[in-house]
Amino acid sequence: MESNIIQTEYSELMQKSYIDYAMSVIIARALPDIRDGLKPVQRRTLYDMYELGIRFDKPYRKSARIVGDTMGKYHPHGDSSIYDALVVMAQDFKKGLPLVDGHGNFGSIEGDGAAAMRYTEARLKKVTQEAYLADLDKDVVDFVPNFDETEKEPAVLPVKVPNLLINGAEGIAVGMATSVPPHNFGEVIDGVIAYMKNPDISTAEMMQYIKGPDFPTGGIIANKDDLPAIYESGMGKIKIRGKIEIEQGKAGKERMVITEIPYTMIGANIGKFLNDVCNLVETKATSDIVDITNQSSKEGIRIVLDLKKGADTEALSNLLYKKTKLEDTFGVNMLAVADGRPETMGLIPVIRHHVHFQYEIATRKYKTLLAKELDKKEIQEGLIRACNVIDLIIEILRGSRSIKDAKACLTEGNTDKITFKNPSSEIMAQQLNFTERQAQAILEMRLYKLIGLEIEALMKEHDETLANIGKYEDILGHRSSMAKVIMKELTGLKKAYGSGRRTVIDNLKEAVVEEKKLEEMDVVFLMDRFGYAKVIDTSVYERNKETADAENRYVFTCKNTDRICIFTDSGQLHLLKVLDLPYGKFRDKGTPVDNVCNYDSSSEDLVFIASLEEVSNSRLVFATKQAMLKVVDGIEFAVSKKTTAATKLGEGDMVLSVRILEENDTLVMRSSKEMFLRIECALIPQKKKSAVGVRGMKLSAGDELKNVYLLHEGDSEEAEVNGKTVSLSRLHIGNRDTKGVKK
């Protein structure tokens, strides 16, 4: 068997494959079609429900049945994507016009997910049937084969309203994304009618009808003046704010109630907002909030902030808008598939595409209806003629041996195989020229149709058919007549399903938060042996001085505006703001320093703590386990980074001691083999923090520094060695980089 090897450039093959994949995602998965504003999964789900007969006036059906049928027939991309699409189309807080009537737990605005598809039920909404799925039997759209060519599905639904604007759209494709905000149903229909009356309408004129997005969560659009540019280009940013109401509480206190939230806050962002408000209180950004409760329910959003008496509600509102998601940005990118390719469009082009689609639907619809009326007219005229010569027709039927002979006589006047009792009847029969369809209708006609009332009804029906034919020909022949029909239908839909605007559009000043000037004062930093730190007032410390000194590992005075330096054995310096530490009562537990800076007690040990003000105005002496020494000017540690390298270490080395150096200090090094060496600190060179340092003591093999003692002038510190007490201040002062003495 001969092998056929095709050689091709790998990069070209990859490029072609990736482009094919990208276009598949863009066209067939992620982006909506400009005509019906639906993604394929939404379109297929709605059509499947229509095919299953799950109408608004029929009982609900299990969501699992809908999902399974859709996946098996039209959308073979997994059940989760289909069910997610079904759920979103039923959520009134996400869609301006929900298309599915959900029964059961379909999730909540606070981010709770829907129940499993085996528990929930659904059916179509009435508006979906009337405005999205009507006329599918009138050949208004093309049907294409499904994925395995066993079924037919509509390439697009005959949606009568601009769904892309009404319900918006969100989707991420390959290299592009769409984000269309929802709009008010009635306003959009008014805009479409205005465009049909004046196709040259400008964006500014259109905005007299479509004033701006209308989010299902309400809220306030704060940058009204930016909307014309956004609608002109199809891209931009909309600022949305939640709605705040002030209520009177008990004892003259006020409550701030959030009744509407930005559309972008739907889901987990509500919980994040509550946490952000708590953080504002904890960090003392505001002291006006006493309590916060989320009283939201099915009736709507209600987040209550209890305020202290005399609270500045305007300043607090600005703080919430500035520091939380109560004011957020909705990025607009009106991208949709138009004529088979993705395109970003402004407001007018979106409506133009929709109107062209409506004319196309109407043309196909009325062509189909006209063809049906013409067929009815043909049959009706045949039956009317037949009633006028019914005696002759009865004689033909009685004289025929087969239906074929009778039909030949009715259509062609062929009387060869028919027996007539009256010769004149044969002459009359030869003049008959009914059409094939008329002859078939005559043969199938029942005798009761010959009753006078039935004949009158037939004549009346014929008149109606002629009127319909005239009406349909006028619609198809005159674009103005077709426009009137479309506009009348749109007006009816607006009257039936339109609702008031929920989102307020205004020009609001940017929220400005005046930072309160922090009053600088002295505080006392306390940290216990478990790493819990806090700051207290100096007067509180003075009253509890003995207890504070006994219970805490580090105690020193610093400014409340200062930062704390934490030096670790790994040679790192971690900085934390004093303001980040809890300020309160002496008996408060405090917070672990791990939580307020980058220090990790599980991987490094704390060596020294001091305030940055003290450090930057001093010189520090570093000592490592391998007896490397150096002096560093403290100003080098006044950096903005939260974590920085305090010193450079050799391989396997660790920082043993960091101390603030004073004039005439001496340093005592003690090794693990009880070798002692006392040197003058003046012998230790000053180096940069990035340097390793110099050797302070010669260590024998396997030895390392155990302790380092910094002796200030006049100190009389002692150390315990093998049961003996050694006075460190009496040790002989030696030279740096010597072995020292054995104790």
Side-chain angles (χ1 to χ4, degrees):
M1 182 177 178
E2 293 184 6
S3 60
N4 186 18
I5 299 175
I6 300 173
Q7 290 190 349
T8 183
E9 180 64 35
Y10 183 73
S11 59
E12 292 178 5
L13 182 65
M14 285 297 294
Q15 184 179 21
K16 182 180 182 303
S17 300
Y18 189 76
I19 290 173
D20 290 344
Y21 160 73
M23 290 306 296
S24 173
V25 172
I26 292 167
I27 303 299
R29 296 286 287 276
L31 300 185
D33 192 295
I34 189 67
R35 295 170 292 177
D36 61 7
L38 297 169
K39 297 180 186 180
V41 64
Q42 296 170 324
R43 183 182 306 119
R44 289 163 175 169
T45 303
L46 293 176
Y47 178 67
D48 185 77
M49 294 176 73
Y50 173 82
E51 283 290 284
L52 289 173
I54 313 174
R55 314 296 168 86
F56 76 95
D57 53 352
K58 301 292 183 185
Y60 294 96
R61 298 283 285 276
K62 283 288 185 185
S63 300
R65 169 67 194 279
I66 299 167
V67 171
D69 201 65
T70 304
M71 184 168 61
K73 289 181 178 178
Y74 310 116
H75 197 76
H77 301 296
D79 56 354
S80 61
S81 62
I82 300 171
Y83 186 52
D84 288 346
L86 180 71
V87 167
V88 170
M89 288 192 289
Q91 292 176 329
D92 58 2
F93 52 86
K94 282 191 179 177
K95 293 295 181 183
L97 183 72
L99 305 179
V100 172
D101 182 6
H103 184 244
N105 176 14
F106 273 79
S108 74
I109 193 171
E110 296 181 55
D112 301 316
M117 68 180 80
R118 60 183 177 274
Y119 299 121
T120 60
E121 298 175 332
R123 65 184 177 190
L124 291 171
K125 286 262 191 181
K126 187 177 181 181
V127 65
T128 313
Q129 287 181 216
E130 293 183 0
Y132 287 69
L133 295 161
D135 302 328
L136 274 171
D137 57 342
K138 296 181 178 64
D139 190 35
V140 290
V141 293
D142 293 331
F143 277 73
V144 296
N146 68 338
F147 63 93
D148 61 358
E149 299 188 0
T150 58
E151 302 277 347
K152 292 280 189 178
E153 61 175 309
V156 63
L157 292 185
V159 179
K160 298 176 182 178
V161 293
N163 181 61
L164 184 68
L165 293 176
I166 291 169
N167 273 329
E170 287 185 3
I172 300 173
V174 178
M176 60 186 70
T178 184
S179 179
V180 184
H183 293 75
N184 182 269
F185 186 85
E187 289 182 7
V188 171
I189 287 179
D190 288 341
V192 172
I193 293 173
Y195 176 84
M196 294 180 73
K197 290 179 179 178
N198 177 21
D200 297 323
I201 190 171
S202 67
T203 301
E205 292 170 332
M206 178 61 73
M207 288 186 65
Q208 295 177 10
Y209 305 95
I210 304 175
K211 304 182 187 306
D214 187 24
F215 297 102
T217 55
I220 304 167
I221 292 175
N223 57 333
K224 180 180 179 180
D225 287 346
D226 294 339
L227 293 180
I230 292 172
Y231 280 141
E232 188 68 41
S233 64
M235 299 179 70
K237 293 180 179 180
I238 296 174
K239 287 184 180 178
I240 326 170
R241 288 183 179 180
K243 187 177 180 182
I244 298 175
E245 295 179 359
I246 306 299
E247 295 180 357
Q248 291 299 320
K250 296 177 181 178
K253 296 179 181 179
E254 291 181 320
R255 283 197 300 262
M256 187 177 281
V257 183
I258 297 162
T259 56
E260 295 176 7
I261 60 173
Y263 186 62
T264 52
M265 199 192 281
I266 291 174
N269 281 330
I270 293 180
K272 186 178 185 305
F273 168 75
L274 298 175
N275 289 333
D276 288 345
V277 174
C278 292
N279 288 336
L280 290 176
V281 176
E282 289 175 359
T283 57
K284 298 180 179 60
T286 178
S287 57
D288 290 338
I289 300 174
V290 177
D291 191 19
I292 179 170
T293 53
N294 186 4
Q295 300 175 10
S296 304
S297 62
K298 289 183 179 179
E299 281 68 45
I301 291 292
R302 183 177 170 83
I303 300 172
V304 181
L305 307 179
D306 291 312
L307 309 180
K308 72 178 185 182
K309 195 170 183 178
D312 187 345
T313 54
E314 184 178 351
L316 183 56
S317 297
N318 284 336
L319 181 67
L320 293 177
Y321 287 138
K322 195 75 175 176
K323 301 293 186 181
T324 72
K325 288 285 186 180
L326 196 59
E327 178 179 297
D328 205 0
T329 301
F330 183 95
V332 177
N333 185 17
M334 297 169 68
L335 178 71
V337 177
D339 300 323
R341 57 189 291 272
E343 185 179 344
T344 299
M345 289 167 280
L347 183 61
I348 299 295
V350 170
I351 294 177
R352 182 188 303 122
H353 276 283
H354 170 74
V355 171
H356 288 171
F357 182 52
Q358 293 312 300
Y359 279 121
E360 181 186 334
I361 289 174
T363 301
R364 294 180 64 160
K365 173 184 175 180
Y366 288 107
K367 279 184 177 179
T368 302
L369 291 176
L370 178 61
K372 287 182 179 178
E373 292 298 319
L374 290 172
D375 289 344
K376 284 168 64 177
K377 172 177 174 280
E378 179 185 347
I379 292 170
Q380 288 165 355
E381 289 178 345
L383 293 176
I384 290 169
R385 282 178 56 201
C387 289
N388 293 332
V389 290
I390 192 65
D391 293 335
L392 175 62
I393 288 174
I394 290 172
E395 189 173 346
I396 291 171
L397 295 177
R398 293 184 67 180
S400 300
R401 292 187 177 182
S402 66
I403 293 176
K404 182 180 178 182
D405 295 341
K407 187 179 285 188
C409 180
L410 292 173
T411 56
E412 302 168 6
N414 187 348
T415 59
D416 294 344
K417 297 181 180 180
I418 299 175
T419 304
F420 291 92
K421 292 182 179 179
N422 191 342
S424 61
S425 298
E426 183 174 0
I427 295 171
M428 293 175 62
Q430 290 173 349
Q431 298 174 8
L432 296 176
N433 60 347
F434 290 101
T435 65
E436 188 76 23
R437 297 177 76 251
Q438 288 174 338
Q440 186 64 34
I442 291 168
L443 292 173
E444 293 175 354
M445 184 176 65
R446 298 187 179 185
L447 289 176
Y448 77 85
K449 290 287 186 181
L450 301 176
I451 299 172
L453 290 175
E454 289 292 328
I455 294 174
E456 285 182 17
L458 178 61
M459 297 295 291
K460 186 178 179 181
E461 186 181 345
H462 181 56
D463 290 339
E464 290 176 0
T465 300
L466 292 177
N468 287 338
I469 289 172
K471 175 184 171 184
Y472 298 155
E473 286 179 340
D474 177 58
I475 291 171
L476 290 168
H478 302 89
R479 194 173 180 87
S480 59
S481 299
M482 185 179 288
K484 286 180 182 177
V485 171
I486 295 172
M487 288 189 284
K488 183 180 178 182
E489 200 166 17
L490 287 173
T491 304
L493 289 170
K494 177 189 172 182
K495 187 176 180 181
Y497 304 108
S499 59
R501 166 170 280 277
R502 285 164 285 198
T503 301
V504 176
I505 301 176
D506 203 351
N507 282 315
L508 301 176
K509 292 181 181 178
E510 186 175 350
V512 177
V513 178
E514 291 185 7
E515 298 287 345
K516 292 182 181 178
K517 269 199 168 183
L518 191 65
E519 186 181 345
E520 189 175 84
M521 63 178 184
D522 286 335
V523 292
V524 178
F525 172 87
L526 304 176
M527 188 178 116
D528 63 19
R529 64 182 185 278
F530 300 110
Y532 282 79
K534 63 189 173 189
V535 289
I536 60 174
D537 192 78
T538 52
S539 60
V540 174
Y541 171 69
E542 290 300 331
R543 291 196 300 270
N544 302 274
K545 189 175 186 307
E546 290 185 11
T547 308
D549 292 343
E551 292 181 354
N552 291 283
R553 181 179 174 189
Y554 290 96
V555 180
F556 55 82
T557 301
C558 59
K559 299 288 186 185
N560 60 339
T561 55
D562 202 357
R563 287 183 288 172
I564 304 297
C565 297
I566 300 177
F567 294 90
T568 68
D569 61 353
S570 61
Q572 296 294 308
L573 166 65
H574 302 293
L575 290 171
L576 70 92
K577 292 180 180 179
V578 175
L579 288 173
D580 290 340
L581 294 169
Y583 176 83
K585 299 175 182 177
F586 176 67
R587 284 299 170 193
D588 288 347
K589 189 174 184 181
T591 187
V593 289
D594 300 50
N595 294 352
V596 287
C597 70
N598 294 335
Y599 168 61
D600 184 2
S601 58
S602 64
S603 60
E604 52 186 347
D605 289 333
L606 191 149
V607 173
F608 180 65
I609 287 186
S611 70
L612 180 59
E613 183 181 18
E614 184 181 11
V615 167
S616 58
N617 292 322
S618 307
R619 293 193 306 153
L620 277 67
V621 58
F622 283 74
T624 72
K625 286 194 173 184
Q626 294 178 1
M628 303 302 291
L629 305 178
K630 71 174 179 179
V631 173
V632 181
D633 191 339
I635 197 66
E636 289 200 42
F637 302 110
V639 294
S640 58
K641 291 182 180 179
K642 288 186 176 181
T643 298
T644 186
T647 185
K648 187 177 181 181
L649 294 172
E651 187 176 348
D653 202 1
M654 297 174 70
V655 175
L656 185 62
S657 172
V658 179
R659 298 289 296 276
I660 292 175
L661 194 62
E662 295 181 6
E663 199 71 32
N664 300 322
D665 282 351
T666 58
L667 188 77
V668 178
M669 290 169 279
R670 176 184 180 181
S671 75
S672 58
K673 294 183 178 180
E674 303 302 349
M675 298 294 292
F676 284 79
L677 175 61
R678 183 185 178 196
I679 64 171
E680 292 180 346
C681 290
L683 298 176
I684 305 172
Q686 182 169 318
K687 292 183 174 291
K688 295 289 186 182
K689 66 178 183 179
S690 56
V692 176
V694 297
R695 191 164 64 180
M697 180 180 183
K698 284 184 179 178
L699 298 172
S700 59
D703 199 4
E704 62 180 16
L705 287 194
K706 179 180 177 182
N707 290 103
V708 175
Y709 307 93
L710 186 66
L711 305 181
H712 302 309
E713 195 171 11
D715 283 354
S716 57
E717 194 169 343
E718 296 178 336
E720 196 74 28
V721 182
N722 299 324
K724 298 185 298 180
T725 300
V726 176
S727 177
L728 301 178
S729 58
R730 292 187 178 181
L731 288 174
H732 172 70
I733 296 177
N735 292 323
R736 182 181 63 79
D737 198 20
T738 58
K739 291 185 177 180
V741 295
K742 178 77 173 176
K743 292 291 182 182

